[in-house]
């Protein structure tokens, strides 16, 4: 057959028939059949982090975050904050947060959610608190007038 099609078929076949190695399979069995208390403990810890982070994001000017389930990411609507700062899109908003607050978030437009951002709460409570304080300082001060 045509070389391009054969190469594409080979790539597809190679990716669809590969399997996890035997060591990984044994580790998965151990994880699923072993002591589940560490999993329960981490679930409780992530619930605490989630609840704090969602509440704290909602206290930031121009930010609205809804509770999430099943992930360690918070989604936040930042449209009002963007408008207050005269920022054109969520990419520029994320850039402002990293540059001015030292906080990294992921723009939502890459996930089909413009004017939103994604932030992970899979870190320590101390880091979450520090991140919220940094964002709060930037968002409460308002836009900085740039001199010509």
């Amino acid at each position: 057959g045509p070389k391009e099609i054969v190469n594409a078929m080979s790539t597809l076949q190679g990716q669809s028939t590969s399997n996890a190695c035997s060591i990984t399979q044994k580790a998965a069995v151990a994880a699923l059949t072993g002591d589940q208390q560490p999993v329960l403990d981490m679930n409780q810890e992530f619930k605490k982090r989630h609840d704090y982070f969602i509440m704290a994001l909602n206290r930031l000017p121009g930010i609205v975050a809804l509770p999430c389930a099943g992930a360690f990411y918070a989604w936040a609507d930042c449209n009002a904050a963007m408008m207050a700062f005269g920022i054109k899109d969520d990419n520029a908003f994320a850039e402002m947060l990293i540059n001015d607050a030292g906080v990294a978030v992921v723009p939502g437009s890459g996930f089909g959610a413009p004017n939103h951002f994604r932030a992970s709460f899979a870190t320590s409570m101390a880091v979450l608190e520090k991140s919220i304080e940094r964002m709060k300082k930037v968002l409460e001060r308002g836009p900085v007038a740039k001199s010509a």
Side-chain angles (χ1 to χ4, degrees), residues 39-57:
V39 175
L40 298 173
D41 294 344
M42 281 311 301
N43 278 339
Q44 287 179 345
E45 186 58 36
F46 277 113
K47 173 79 170 121
K48 287 180 198 173
R49 294 173 193 179
H50 165 272
D51 292 348
Y52 165 77
F53 199 51
I54 296 297
M55 177 199 64
L57 285 171

Side-chain angles (χ1 to χ4, degrees), residues 73-84:
Y73 297 108
W75 280 97
D77 181 329
C78 56
N79 191 54
M82 287 169 38
M83 289 176 56

Side-chain angles (χ1 to χ4, degrees), residues 50 52-69 71-83 89-91 93-94 97 103-121 131-132 135 139:
H50 165 272
Y52 165 77
F53 199 51
I54 296 297
M55 177 199 64
L57 285 171
N58 281 312
R59 290 184 176 161
L60 296 175
I63 305 295
V64 177
L66 297 175
C68 53
F72 47 81
Y73 297 108
W75 280 97
D77 181 329
C78 56
N79 191 54
M82 287 169 38
M83 289 176 56
D89 61 32
D90 54 328
N91 290 298
F93 186 78
L97 286 181
V103 175
V105 300
V106 179
S109 58
F111 300 95
N115 304 331
H116 290 73
F117 66 83
R118 183 180 84 166
S120 173
F121 53 86
S131 298
I132 290 293
M135 287 191 285
L139 295 174

